[in-house]
Amino acid sequence: MAKKVAVLGAGSWGSILANMLVQNGNDVVAWTNMEAQAQELNDQHTNEHYVPGFKYDERLVATTDLEFALKDVDAVLFVVPTKVMRLVAQQMVAVLEKTKQQPVIIHASKGLELGTHKRLSEVLEEEIPSQYRKAIVVLSGPSHAEEVAKQDLTLVTAASTDLASAEMVQKLFMNHYFRVYTNDDIIGVEMGAALKNVIAIGAGALHGLGYGDDAKAALITRGLAEISRLGVAFGAKPLTFIGLSGVGDLIVTATSVHSRNWRAGNELGQGMQLQEVIDTMGMVIEGIPSTKAAYELAQQKHIEMPITEAIYDVLYNDKGVKEVIDDLMHRDGKSELE
Ligand SMILES: NC(=O)C1=CN([C@@H]2O[C@H](COP(=O)(O)OP(=O)(O)OC[C@H]3O[C@@H](n4cnc5c(N)ncnc54)[C@H](OP(=O)(O)O)[C@@H]3O)[C@@H](O)[C@H]2O)C=CC1
Ligand SMILES: O=C(CO)COP(=O)(O)O
């Protein structure tokens, strides 16, 4: 049955997911904080800054009016950057307090909140009182907006502690090119999603410096080992890290030119200054704040994360990429499965 869905955040991922939900037969309103962007989506059916050249379905409605977007919704999909997730949740709650709705809450963002180090479902759980929501479901996996826009084949995970809600989200998104699995390990899915961005910055940096495939495979493999270590320390299931939201997303983000995190790393490897990388990307690079959050969590829990520490030193301590690679290669020898 068709659902009414509000998509909060109309950047590259939010707008493409909104478009797909329309094409799946749902009634969808995309909410943005920019009037000009809403107008462009409604009038030209384009979103040139975020997905250049793409024509959106004419049935997709965009608005800056949150009350209008949330009217009678069955589900709300958050796709805003991590740093504004809490703020946008508060804005939504202010509306739901008046309308007394109780939608399913979905998020498709990937990060850990700076300062609190919280996963995004924890942020949403904290901000949205239970009377204004059903379950929280996380949609995550190897999925670049640019490829989903072209209806390339994409497989992701819908994670929730509530199986019925995960299955509702599975049905909502599935179609002939987008396949969704359910998973009850919300911790593992969110940790994998946030932490793969950190490793992707490293993979991009190796590429920028001219290293080859051996180095990239090594970084991905050892990166997965440390991501899993941290995730498991916070209650994730180890197997989740060899699933779509773990190694699947790590592979796509650490090898694809579509990835903003990979591209940021590549530019750093080529010698560009961090601020210039951020200023010229024009889209969110989640791995930068997530590196800080992951580094602090690892310190707190005494988890060994040498690659994350190295990337942290490049981003926050002004160390050179070559220097941290040299440090990593000169660590004491150890057993692979320690
Ligand atoms: N792009 C992709 O392929 C994928 C992205 N993701 C994840 O999805 C999340 C969003 O990424 P993506 O869409 O790529 O990011 P973009 O940078 O493309 O877009 C982010 C959007 O959020 C908007 N935004 C920022 N602050 C606010 C606010 N306070 N209120 C309302 N809207 C706001 C931005 O508007 P403004 O321009 O005004 O700042 C922009 O439209 C990230 O966590 C990312 O990791 C996950 C899978 C795939
Ligand atoms: O999460 C993504 C792919 O699954 C998108 O990665 P980037 O944010 O690095 O573009």
Side-chain angles (χ1 to χ4, degrees), residues 110 141-144 196-197 249 252-253 258-261:
K110 296 177 178 173
S143 47
H144 277 121
K196 59 85 186 174
N197 285 333
D249 211 355
V252 87
T253 317
H258 294 312
S259 162
R260 284 81 45 93
N261 289 286

Side-chain angles (χ1 to χ4, degrees), residues 59-110:
R59 293 166 295 179
L60 175 64
V61 175
T63 184
T64 54
D65 179 346
L66 190 54
E67 209 161 326
F68 171 75
L70 293 170
K71 192 167 185 320
D72 301 330
V73 284
D74 301 294
V76 179
L77 169 62
F78 285 78
V79 206
V80 288
T82 297
K83 69 171 188 213
V84 299
M85 185 64 81
R86 193 176 286 280
L87 172 79
V88 173
Q90 288 164 354
Q91 290 175 271
M92 180 192 77
V93 169
V95 175
L96 298 189
E97 277 169 353
K98 290 192 260 168
T99 56
K100 312 285 180 219
Q101 292 159 258
Q102 200 188 30
V104 168
I105 303 294
I106 313 162
H107 88 74
S109 298
K110 296 177 178 173

Side-chain angles (χ1 to χ4, degrees), residues 36-243:
Q37 189 192 23
Q39 237 173 48
E40 183 193 339
L41 274 163
N42 288 332
D43 299 346
Q44 270 93 53
H45 314 293
T46 59
N47 194 11
E48 275 309 304
H49 176 77
Y50 290 104
V51 193
F54 184 71
K55 265 285 182 206
Y56 288 76
D57 192 299
E58 296 191 4
R59 293 166 295 179
L60 175 64
V61 175
T63 184
T64 54
D65 179 346
L66 190 54
E67 209 161 326
F68 171 75
L70 293 170
K71 192 167 185 320
D72 301 330
V73 284
D74 301 294
V76 179
L77 169 62
F78 285 78
V79 206
V80 288
T82 297
K83 69 171 188 213
V84 299
M85 185 64 81
R86 193 176 286 280
L87 172 79
V88 173
Q90 288 164 354
Q91 290 175 271
M92 180 192 77
V93 169
V95 175
L96 298 189
E97 277 169 353
K98 290 192 260 168
T99 56
K100 312 285 180 219
Q101 292 159 258
Q102 200 188 30
V104 168
I105 303 294
I106 313 162
H107 88 74
S109 298
K110 296 177 178 173
L112 292 169
E113 190 178 50
L114 267 184
T116 68
H117 309 135
K118 292 208 161 129
R119 291 176 287 105
L120 294 173
S121 67
E122 294 180 294
V123 170
L124 292 171
E125 216 167 71
E126 259 177 32
E127 292 300 332
I128 311 169
S130 53
Q131 69 266 32
Y132 301 130
R133 63 174 156 85
K134 296 204 179 82
I136 296 177
V137 184
V138 179
L139 191 76
S140 187
S143 47
H144 277 121
E146 295 82 352
E147 299 202 345
V148 176
K150 287 191 283 190
Q151 304 199 354
D152 212 328
L153 304 182
T154 300
L155 275 62
V156 302
T157 296
S160 179
T161 50
D162 179 58
L163 180 63
S165 299
E167 285 174 348
M168 176 254 173
V169 170
Q170 181 179 44
K171 283 200 192 82
L172 189 66
F173 283 90
M174 287 251 286
N175 59 37
H176 68 280
Y177 63 90
F178 199 85
R179 183 170 169 77
V180 184
Y181 291 80
T182 59
N183 188 326
D184 63 4
D185 181 15
I186 199 164
I187 301 176
V189 166
E190 286 185 304
M191 291 299 271
L195 299 172
K196 59 85 186 174
N197 285 333
V198 178
I199 305 302
I201 293 177
L206 285 181
H207 186 83
L209 279 164
Y211 286 99
D213 299 338
D214 291 1
K216 290 170 198 164
L219 182 90
I220 290 172
T221 310
R222 296 307 299 164
L224 182 63
E226 67 180 59
I227 287 177
S228 312
R229 266 202 299 276
L230 188 69
V232 169
F234 280 89
K237 295 180 184 173
L239 272 183
T240 302
F241 294 99
I242 55 166

Side-chain angles (χ1 to χ4, degrees), residues 49 197 200-202 204-205 208 257 259-289 291 311 314-316 318-319 321:
H49 176 77
N197 285 333
I201 293 177
V257 289
S259 162
R260 284 81 45 93
N261 289 286
W262 184 91
R263 291 206 316 260
N266 184 40
E267 289 170 354
L268 289 171
Q270 289 171 343
M272 202 189 264
Q273 291 302 305
L274 178 61
Q275 197 52 53
E276 193 184 351
V277 171
I278 296 169
D279 292 344
T280 52
M281 189 66 66
M283 286 181 277
V284 65
I285 311 168
E286 290 279 24
I288 295 175
T291 297
I311 295 164
V314 170
L315 298 178
Y316 294 98
D318 247 356
K319 272 206 177 175
V321 184

